[in-house]
C-alpha cells in the first residue's frame, strides 16, 4: 500500500465530496496515522501499565475516541503540529517520552501528546492512534467527506 494507492482505498461515498472540494480550490493530502502503544490495547496483561513502553490508559490519556471511518472524517489543523511547541523531536516524535516516563510521572514525560486526541479506528486494526507519523492532528468529526 503506497501513498499513490490511497485513492484506491478511499471510501467511494467520499469521492463526490472530495471532488467538490478540489473544484473549490482545496488541496487534499493523505496522512498516515501513527499507532501508539496504549494501555487499552493491552487490557488484562501485565504490560498494560508499563510506562517504559506503554502510554497508560489513565489520567489525560484515558479517553480514546472511537472513529468509524464509514461515518466519520479525520480532520487536521492545517500546518499546526502541537509537538512543535515543545522541544524538537526526531522522526519518532511520539516515542520521545518513553525514556523519561515513570509510573509517577508519565504525564510530564508525554506532554507533547496531550494536545492530540487519541483515536481508535473501529473498523480497522482497532488499535490506538495519535495523529500522523509527522505530527499532524486527527480531530474526529461526524460525517464522511471533507472537513
Amino acid at each position: 500500500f503506497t501513498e499513490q494507492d490511497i485513492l484506491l482505498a478511499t471510501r467511494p461515498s467520499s469521492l463526490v465530496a472530495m471532488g467538490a472540494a478540489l473544484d473549490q480550490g482545496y488541496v487534499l493530502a493523505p496522512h498516515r496515522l501513527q499507532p501508539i502503544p496504549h494501555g487499552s490495547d493491552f487490557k488484562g496483561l501485565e504490560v498494560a501499565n508499563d510506562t517504559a513502553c506503554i502510554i497508560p490508559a489513565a489520567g489525560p490519556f484515558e479517553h480514546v475516541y472511537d472513529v468509524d471511518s464509514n461515518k466519520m472524517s479525520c480532520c487536521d489543523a492545517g500546518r499546526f503540529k502541537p509537538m512543535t511547541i515543545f522541544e524538537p523531536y526526531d522522526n519518532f516524535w511520539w516515542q520521545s517520552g518513553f525514556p523519561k516516563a515513570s509510573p509517577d510521572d508519565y504525564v510530564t514525560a508525554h506532554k507533547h501528546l496531550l494536545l492530540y486526541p487519541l483515536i481508535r479506528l473501529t473498523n480497522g486494526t482497532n488499535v490506538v492512534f495519535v495523529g500522523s507519523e509527522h505530527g499532524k492532528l486527527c480531530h474526529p468529526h461526524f460525517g464522511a467527506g471533507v472537513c
Side-chain angles (χ1 to χ4, degrees):
F1 191 76
T2 65
E3 288 181 4
Q4 294 84 356
D5 292 332
I6 199 122
L7 191 57
L8 299 174
T10 301
R11 277 188 304 263
S13 61
S14 297
L15 295 177
V16 172
M18 291 170 66
L22 290 170
D23 289 341
Q24 294 172 24
Y26 287 93
V27 175
L28 305 178
H31 300 297
R32 288 178 274 184
L33 294 175
Q34 177 60 56
I36 189 160
H38 189 261
S40 65
D41 292 330
F42 300 92
K43 288 180 185 171
L45 299 177
E46 193 173 315
V47 74
N49 293 308
D50 183 351
T51 58
C53 59
I54 305 285
I55 304 287
F61 301 113
E62 184 171 11
H63 181 73
V64 177
Y65 292 91
D66 286 332
V67 174
D68 179 345
S69 61
N70 291 314
K71 299 176 184 173
M72 301 173 78
S73 296
C74 197
C75 303
D76 69 26
R79 294 178 184 213
F80 176 61
K81 298 177 184 179
M83 66 163 192
T84 60
I85 62 176
F86 300 102
E87 60 266 12
Y89 301 104
D90 61 17
N91 289 337
F92 301 107
W93 64 273
W94 56 273
Q95 292 180 344
S96 65
F98 288 115
K100 302 175 240 173
S102 71
D104 297 326
D105 198 16
Y106 64 90
V107 175
T108 301
H110 295 292
K111 67 183 181 281
H112 57 290
L113 301 177
L114 291 171
L115 299 176
Y116 288 85
L118 299 175
I119 65 166
R120 181 186 313 279
L121 299 179
T122 59
N123 53 354
T125 59
N126 210 27
V127 298
V128 175
F129 293 92
V130 59
S132 77
E133 66 179 342
H134 299 293
K136 288 264 198 191
L137 287 167
C138 172
H139 287 293
H141 289 278
F142 282 98
V146 180
C147 301

